[in-house]
Amino acid sequence: KQTMNTNLPLALAAALAFSLSGCSETDNNQVADATAEKASSEPMTTQPAESNPFFQESPLYMHYPQFDKIENSHYVPAFERGMEEQLAEIQAIVDQADAPTFDNTLIPLERSGQTLARVTRVFFSMASANTNDGNEQIRTEMATKLAAHNDKITLNAELFARIKSIYDQRDTLELDPESYRLIEEGYRDFVRAGALLSDDEKVQLRAINSELASLQTSFSQNVMNEVKSAGVLVDTREELAGMSDAMIETAAKAATEAGHEGKYLIVLINTTQQPPLAVLENRELRQRIFEASMARGSHGGDYDNREALTRVIKLRAERAQLMGYETHASYGLEVQTAKNPEAVNERLATLAAPAVENAKREAAAMQAIIDAEGGDFELAAWDWDFYAEKVRKERYDFDASQLKPYLELNNVLFKGVFYAAEM
């Protein structure tokens, strides 16, 4: 659904669905390579309508985006026109003299915002897979604008009145199950977006949504910038024993690019677990990498996210209480399988004890290998991946590196999920 769920996370989920529709890792790389050079530095100038590929439906198979024609300068004009078009479409629904019906309200609502949908799918897919200064400038510029656009639709009292009228009559209408569900979910989504709030409360909600959009964009950009700037510098090749020649060459290149010719830079990726931890024989270096990874975003500097995160948590709590929920978790889980925090906590409670026992067994197996090799130390967090790999090889003759191509493909396909979760 496009309009019933106008929040950015669902637009990003649509972008993810596009990624899953058949693009292989090679396809994704080719797309990124084809646009990376021009996308990184293009100014955000307005293009003539006939030259902007988002202003009309793509002629390609299944209307796949024409990536060879898309430039950074196309995004902002397409976002702006897309929002303008959708608001005009919404106003046309509201201005109807006829009584609200499924066909004259919900159907055009669902079909509204096609230009915005096209640019949203492409931009957020590219922003997640092809990070560059141009894309990040656009994300910053559009974050609060898109949040405000969303509020203009979901907090439109006249539009909601039409939806509520249909919702109140739903049991008397002759509808198929899909249409009935659309009515129920559409009404629910508007209510959860604040449609039942008073005018003063809507003003407060708009302010919260705007600040959240800005903070969440800043948060994700800090994460990416921290990844770019973070790294562990190593003086000698000998310290990298266990790493493959390709990994070492990559580290040498990264160091050279960072101005450390002749050294090696282990760049930290955007996860807690870093790949070198599974192969590095140097325990001290493993500890340095692990601690550097864990400290990201919380050790001061330009990209420290603690203040932003604290503010996001506070605003989410305020929004949940404004909407009548005890906590943000209660608000978020209402439309999920668990439905409420109590159900989640109950499930976690049943999993905690077995998980701890399993971790203890794994730790004991790894400690046994450490002792057998003459290691005079107790297993630590930075040792886990390294010795877990040894246990796998010893027990199952299994090399995790054989899965690397599949894991990389999985990472490409599901990268958009992180953005959805952020928003």
Side-chain angles (χ1 to χ4, degrees), residues 289-310:
I289 294 171
F290 180 85
E291 291 178 345
S293 179
M294 293 297 292
R296 286 176 300 167
S298 60
H299 57 85
D302 294 337
Y303 310 129
D304 193 303
N305 258 331
R306 287 174 292 184
E307 184 176 342
L309 179 59
T310 301

Side-chain angles (χ1 to χ4, degrees), residues 185-199:
E185 291 204 347
Y187 176 81
R188 181 202 66 188
D189 291 344
F190 269 72
V191 171
R192 284 176 53 79
L196 293 177
L197 297 178
S198 68
D199 289 343

Side-chain angles (χ1 to χ4, degrees), residues 79-100:
F79 274 120
E80 291 177 343
R81 175 181 283 200
M83 289 186 286
E84 181 181 350
E85 287 178 354
Q86 188 170 30
L87 291 179
E89 291 163 344
I90 297 303
Q91 192 60 45
I93 296 172
V94 170
D95 288 343
Q96 295 178 96
D98 295 337

